Amino acid sequence: MVWIIIVLALIVAILAIALYYQIKGSHDQANEQETLLKDYQRRVDEQQQLLEDYRNLQKNFENVGEGYEQALDLYDKMEENSRKLEERNAFLEKQNADMQASSKNIEETLRTNKDYYGQVVQDMTKELGKLDAAVASPLFGLVYKIQDFNELGSEAPIERNDNIVAEQIAKQAVAESAIDKCQYFTFELTVSPQAASMLHTNEKQAAHALALLLDNSKKFTTDGTVSLAVDADLQVSKITYTVADTGMGIPANEAERVFEPYVKLNSYFDGQGLGLTFARSIARRLGGDLVLDTTNTGKGARFVMTLPM
């Protein structure tokens, strides 16, 4: 009986040991499977990350490709614009060269014509000087017009070879403009005692400039008076010719503009707007000046022309 119990105990012990090792093996196998599963999951995660990185890299590459294509397009456009700009510059340079050549030809033509007309004026003046004054007077007006147009814009000094009394310049200007013959206003000429001195100038040109000034007042004065006053400032050695009228007047803000070529403040009157331009040009080329007196508070306009003694 005892032996049976001992055998049964051994069998139970053997079964218990076998069961222990079986359970232990199962736990080890489960742990190993869990480790393998974790390793597998890690590998899956790594592959997923690699796949995500690959997708990002592919996307970046596509963006880089698009940027590269855009850069190529932009470069092509820049090249095209540069080519067009070079063509435009070449065209402008050629046009400028043509214009310069044309300008030189025009300047040469104008210079030749100016010299020619200048000689014609001199010859006509000499021939008219041989005629009777009454006959030559209206013809001199035409000669002066040719001369004025021929010298428009010139700044070359006019030779001053005449010594003449200042009053005589005024009388010649009155005769040339025929302002004393007008019936619709009164003309007055006054000469101060100081103006009895000699004036070193160009007699014909000085008288012509003053005549143009008188013509301007005659044109814009319909009634009242036009006056010419001759005075002298001995301290600065200048003769002053002041032409005042009771005409339409000139605004102070137009004091310089009226001397510009072809400027007419009133289009109802005849003329080309050159009389005052010519008059100032002659006065300045004779060493003097011509200005509008903006301090004048009376009716009409007052011009002051000065010439060096």
Side-chain angles (χ1 to χ4, degrees):
M1 185 70 179
V2 173
W3 289 104
I4 293 172
I5 294 172
I6 294 171
V7 171
L8 290 172
L10 288 172
I11 293 171
V12 170
I14 291 169
L15 290 173
I17 292 171
L19 181 61
Y20 169 77
Y21 279 107
Q22 186 178 2
I23 293 172
K24 184 176 182 299
S26 297
H27 284 179
D28 291 342
Q29 186 177 6
N31 290 335
E32 184 177 357
Q33 287 178 351
E34 184 178 357
T35 301
L36 290 173
L37 182 61
K38 289 182 179 180
D39 184 61
Y40 173 76
Q41 185 64 42
R42 181 178 60 79
R43 291 178 182 277
V44 170
D45 291 341
E46 289 178 352
Q47 289 180 354
Q48 186 68 29
Q49 184 63 42
L50 288 174
L51 181 60
E52 185 68 24
D53 291 342
Y54 172 76
R55 289 174 178 172
N56 291 335
L57 182 62
Q58 187 179 27
K59 184 176 181 180
N60 291 334
F61 180 77
E62 291 176 354
N63 291 336
V64 170
E66 292 177 359
Y68 179 72
E69 291 179 358
Q70 292 176 356
L72 285 179
D73 292 339
L74 181 60
Y75 179 77
D76 291 340
K77 291 179 180 178
M78 290 176 62
E79 285 287 317
E80 180 66 17
N81 290 335
S82 177
R83 182 185 63 79
K84 291 181 178 179
L85 184 61
E86 289 178 357
E87 292 178 354
R88 181 63 177 173
N89 288 337
F91 172 76
L92 291 175
E93 288 178 358
K94 183 179 182 303
Q95 191 176 45
N96 184 50
D98 293 340
M99 289 178 64
Q100 288 183 351
S102 178
S103 177
K104 288 181 179 179
N105 292 334
I106 293 174
E107 288 178 359
E108 184 62 30
T109 301
L110 289 176
R111 189 181 303 110
T112 302
N113 290 341
K114 187 172 183 179
D115 293 341
Y116 172 75
Y117 286 119
Q119 187 60 49
V120 168
V121 167
Q122 290 182 7
D123 294 342
M124 291 178 66
T125 302
K126 289 180 181 179
E127 293 300 320
L128 290 175
K130 301 175 183 179
L131 301 177
D132 181 79
V135 177
S137 180
L139 297 177
F140 268 120
L142 295 176
V143 172
Y144 284 137
K145 285 185 178 180
I146 296 174
Q147 178 178 284
D148 289 339
F149 276 104
N150 192 47
E151 296 186 356
L152 180 62
S154 175
E155 297 181 358
I158 298 174
E159 292 185 0
R160 296 184 291 161
N161 299 321
D162 302 318
N163 292 308
I164 188 170
V165 178
E167 181 181 358
Q168 186 60 32
I169 296 291
K171 289 181 177 180
Q172 289 187 30
V174 170
E176 181 180 332
S177 64
I179 194 170
D180 56 336
K181 302 296 191 297
C182 290
Q183 302 297 323
Y184 48 89
F185 60 75
T186 303
F187 174 70
E188 299 174 352
L189 171 62
T190 58
V191 182
S192 71
Q194 293 86 350
S197 38
M198 299 297 292
L199 179 64
H200 183 68
T201 187
N202 184 301
E203 179 181 354
K204 291 181 179 180
Q205 293 285 1
H208 179 53
L210 188 55
L212 289 171
L213 202 53
L214 292 172
D215 280 334
N216 182 77
S217 290
K218 183 172 66 172
K219 182 184 300 182
F220 295 103
T221 304
T222 56
D223 59 12
T225 61
V226 175
S227 63
L228 169 58
V230 186
D231 200 355
D233 189 339
L234 301 180
Q235 292 185 348
V236 294
S237 299
K238 286 186 177 180
I239 299 294
T240 301
Y241 297 93
T242 303
V243 177
D245 60 56
T246 56
M248 59 181 294
I250 299 173
N253 60 351
E254 301 282 0
E256 285 301 312
R257 185 167 171 266
V258 292
F259 292 104
E260 295 178 4
Y262 305 106
V263 170
K264 296 178 63 177
L265 300 185
N266 192 320
S267 60
Y268 292 103
F269 291 89
D270 294 335
Q272 297 175 309
L274 290 169
L276 293 177
T277 304
F278 293 146
R280 171 179 270 191
S281 174
I282 294 171
R284 289 183 172 180
R285 291 167 63 201
L286 287 172
D289 202 357
L290 171 59
V291 297
L292 174 69
D293 184 3
T294 55
T295 65
N296 178 36
T297 57
K299 182 181 178 182
R302 182 163 60 199
F303 290 90
V304 179
M305 186 177 82
T306 56
L307 294 175
M309 296 175 62

